[in-house]
Amino acid sequence: MKISFARSPSATKSTRADTAAAFVFRKTKLSAGAEALDKLCGGALRDYLKTQDKFTGAAGQSVKITLPKGAAYKRVLLLGLDDPAKISSATAEVAGGRLHASLSAIDAHKVDIFMAGTESDEVTATSAAAHIGAGLMLRSYRFDHYKSKKPENGGSHLKSATLIGPGESTARRIFATLDAGARGTFFARDLSNEPPNVLYPDSFAKRVKKELEPLGVKVRIIDDKKMKELGFRTHLAVGQGSARPPCVVIFEWNGLPATSSKKVKPLAFVGKGVTFDTGGISIKPSGGMDEMKHDMSGAAAVAGLFMTLARRKAKVKAVGICGLAENMPDGKAYRPGDIIKSMSGKTVEILNTDAEGRLVLIDSLTYIQRIYDPRLIIDLATLTGAVVVALGHEFAGAFVNDDKLWSQLNDAGTKTGERLWRLPLDATYRKQVESHVADIRNTGTIDRAGGSCTGAAFLQHVIDEGRIWSHLDIAGTAWLKGGSAVSPRDATGFGVRLLDRLVADHYE
Ligand code: BES
Ligand code: ZN
Ligand code: ZN
């Protein structure tokens, strides 16, 4: 999908788009762009709107108007944008995504989108236009390279969009940074959507190294032999039932000038990368188990984030770590009842081999704190089914031990539409994961009660006193069977744009 920006539509008919699109506010009030388009079409939009009362300009509504032969365009698509004062970066992206869906449905190939020209406290008109472009881009993602015959028109003929209106050079500049976010998101989606016979710990590591090193990210792979030496023992236990050995990938991005960067502590991002989660000996029911190929979405988001930071040359020092393993039942697999000493020194009693993500994460969390002494840590993990019960697919669960970081994360979530809801970290949950035979146990003691909170509490057992840390449970948001306005079905790449925005707004 090619997105460009221009002050006015192409003057030559042969290069002119086949379709025009514009925005209408509630009570069929035309936006500035729709006014301009109406003029260009000899009043056809106003004339049409008078003949009907279904399309009112409410959010999400759309209508196609076929223009007569010889008109400026073959057809016009109007999209409802509701209240102009309520425009935000997130609603603009949703509008862009919906626009992509509607344009695909009416077989548009090349489209001129007349900028709405509206602004609010949060976004300027040019920034809103850039976000509409980003929404189009995000929704244009496709994962079809396993189809021998690409679907008839690939689901959409839409090849290019030009956003038209004043301030086009500013909009183009803002779009360039959003485009970096979209590319990182696409990378995360690609990794997460790959089938588990293709994407496993070693192939994940090789693929991210191949993609990220040319962009200036340092990528280091720790193989299973080295992991043994370093003491990634709970992580190794999770992977020991698989024919595909576990590994760890470390990313380093330094966008600071060499003179000032030495003393700066990095931001750290940690991802759960279980490339397939069968549950192990505590095996999962077979229905829907295929979805567990996405259980590495936290690691994919970390890889996508580093792609974005590097592509937009973010002025920040950051380190990322992905703990990769496949959780399989086998003669060599770890068992319920096993006691394993984690890298932190704490011994862990295994009660359920399906609570494996936390075992992978605690070693990565320990390692990153010891080696990098980071300024803050954010981990992303498809950790618990319980968070899907609590929040559904709308919000990811956020556990944060620092109010300032929570307010920054919450703000970034609202602005990107990758929304978070804060859940409790508390001593009582930490107590619930204490074991009578070892230091800690990998499930809560009170049946399944507070499953996401005990999961977070388990991780907190290895977080240093005073270390700023957040755990994001993305089990409900990492993939969507029905997709969303800005994502087709399956992997969403959740977390990439959220954390990129956090970095851009508060740590650069
Ligand atoms: N990967 C799953 C969590 C999950 C479930 C993610 C459904 C997305 C959708 C995780 O490893 C897991 O199985 N967790 C268990 C923990 C329990 C055994 C304490 C769960 O949520 O049931
Ligand atoms: Zn599991
Ligand atoms: Zn899992």
Side-chain angles (χ1 to χ4, degrees):
M1 176 97 199
K2 192 173 167 295
I3 310 253
S4 48
F5 293 82
R7 171 120 342 182
S8 48
S10 161
T12 33
K13 256 211 153 156
S14 58
T15 57
R16 177 77 62 91
D18 48 81
T19 307
F23 299 97
V24 176
F25 304 126
R26 65 172 168 211
K27 295 190 183 149
T28 55
K29 185 177 171 351
L30 300 192
S31 66
E35 289 278 8
L37 178 60
D38 189 45
K39 274 205 192 87
L40 203 65
C41 303
L45 309 194
R46 277 223 158 77
D47 288 348
Y48 174 82
L49 290 174
K50 267 185 238 149
T51 65
Q52 59 87 54
D53 54 12
K54 267 206 194 125
F55 179 83
T56 60
Q61 282 188 336
S62 67
V63 69
K64 173 183 132 176
I65 306 169
T66 308
L67 297 181
K69 253 205 153 75
Y73 297 94
K74 279 193 196 151
R75 54 183 100 77
V76 168
L77 184 88
L78 296 179
L79 196 84
L81 211 52
D82 204 58
D83 183 352
K86 286 208 188 116
I87 187 101
S88 68
S89 49
T91 59
E93 282 174 16
V94 165
R98 285 180 176 152
L99 200 52
H100 188 279
S102 306
L103 288 165
S104 302
I106 63 168
D107 201 29
H109 292 231
K110 196 172 171 197
V111 60
D112 282 347
I113 301 166
F114 288 71
M115 296 185 196
T118 182
E119 53 193 22
S120 66
D121 291 346
E122 204 233 319
V123 277
T124 60
T126 45
S127 167
H131 283 281
I132 285 170
L136 278 158
M137 191 69 175
L138 286 165
R139 181 63 180 264
S140 74
Y141 174 82
R142 253 183 251 139
F143 186 78
D144 56 12
H145 60 259
Y146 289 101
K147 283 209 162 282
S148 326
K149 227 170 107 200
K150 299 278 175 267
E152 195 69 15
N153 76 26
S156 166
H157 273 132
L158 193 57
K159 291 275 178 325
S160 66
T162 307
L163 281 123
I164 293 180
E168 77 283 6
S169 58
T170 313
R172 189 180 298 125
R173 188 172 44 73
I174 300 170
F175 178 77
T177 62
L178 299 175
D179 190 42
R183 299 247 213 150
T185 301
F186 285 10
F187 185 41
R189 288 177 185 172
D190 276 346
L191 291 166
S192 180
N193 282 331
E194 280 293 348
N197 59 329
V198 173
L199 197 93
Y200 43 89
D202 182 60
S203 62
F204 179 109
K206 290 200 170 111
R207 180 140 167 205
V208 296
K209 191 176 171 78
K210 187 171 144 250
E211 290 285 337
L212 296 183
E213 266 184 349
L215 299 173
V217 180
K218 264 199 205 148
V219 183
R220 189 155 59 87
I221 300 173
I222 304 178
D223 66 16
D224 58 333
K225 277 188 211 76
K226 192 92 193 81
M227 283 171 70
K228 238 172 241 149
E229 283 167 33
L230 294 169
F232 282 83
R233 286 176 295 267
T234 46
H235 181 166
L236 283 163
V238 171
Q240 77 191 31
S242 169
R244 302 176 159 105
C247 66
V248 172
V249 192
I250 295 179
F251 309 118
E252 289 177 28
W253 167 254
N254 191 351
L256 297 178
T259 46
S260 68
S261 84
K262 262 258 153 28
K263 278 177 255 131
V264 178
K265 289 184 178 187
L267 307 176
F269 301 96
V270 180
K272 168 178 172 181
V274 175
T275 59
F276 195 69
D277 181 11
T278 63
I281 297 300
S282 315
I283 199 160
K284 286 181 180 294
S286 54
M289 202 201 269
D290 57 293
E291 290 179 40
M292 283 300 125
K293 71 171 185 176
H294 296 296
D295 207 23
M296 33 56 71
S297 297
V302 171
L305 174 67
F306 277 76
M307 174 176 275
T308 296
L309 294 177
R311 279 198 182 277
R312 65 173 188 79
K313 301 201 167 28
K315 293 183 186 56
V316 70
K317 193 167 160 183
V319 57
I321 181 164
C322 296
L324 299 154
E326 186 181 49
N327 188 18
M328 297 292 266
D330 181 75
K332 291 209 288 270
Y334 77 134
R335 298 148 288 250
D338 285 2
I339 295 179
I340 303 149
K341 189 173 193 168
S342 66
M343 186 189 286
S344 74
K346 287 200 175 170
T347 53
V348 185
E349 181 193 10
I350 307 304
L351 286 153
N352 189 321
T353 62
D354 197 11
E356 84 298 338
R358 60 198 74 185
L359 300 171
V360 171
L361 285 170
I362 52 169
D363 282 344
S364 284
L365 287 166
T366 302
Y367 186 79
I368 213 84
Q369 292 178 95
R370 280 195 192 154
I371 307 297
Y372 292 93
D373 185 23
R375 177 171 174 193
L376 60 80
I377 306 176
I378 298 173
D379 77 69
L380 299 114
T382 48
L383 205 72
T384 65
V387 86
V388 193
V389 177
L391 303 174
H393 304 286
E394 316 303 324
F395 290 83
F399 297 85
V400 200
N401 66 4
D402 180 83
D403 290 343
K404 194 170 131 218
L405 177 60
W406 161 244
S407 116
Q408 295 170 347
L409 277 166
N410 190 31
D411 189 46
T414 307
K415 286 181 172 157
T416 54
E418 295 192 331
R419 296 189 295 165
L420 303 174
W421 200 267
R422 194 175 187 180
L423 296 172
L425 282 171
D426 191 81
T428 54
Y429 298 114
R430 287 199 295 281
K431 193 104 196 119
Q432 287 173 33
V433 290
E434 284 175 7
S435 158
H436 72 292
V437 284
D439 298 329
I440 48 178
R441 45 184 279 154
N442 80 332
T443 62
T445 25
I446 320 175
D447 196 23
R448 288 144 58 107
S452 304
C453 306
T454 49
F458 180 89
L459 302 178
Q460 200 176 15
H461 271 281
V462 307
I463 300 294
D464 300 336
E465 196 60 45
R467 179 89 58 194
I468 298 173
W469 162 71
S470 172
H471 157 60
L472 306 180
D473 194 334
I474 61 169
T477 54
W479 69 95
L480 298 170
K481 279 178 139 178
S484 75
V486 293
S487 177
R489 59 169 298 172
D490 304 326
T492 59
F494 186 99
V496 175
R497 292 182 303 120
L498 169 80
L499 297 178
D500 179 52
R501 184 80 196 223
L502 174 84
V503 170
D505 285 355
H506 301 287
Y507 296 94
E508 280 188 71

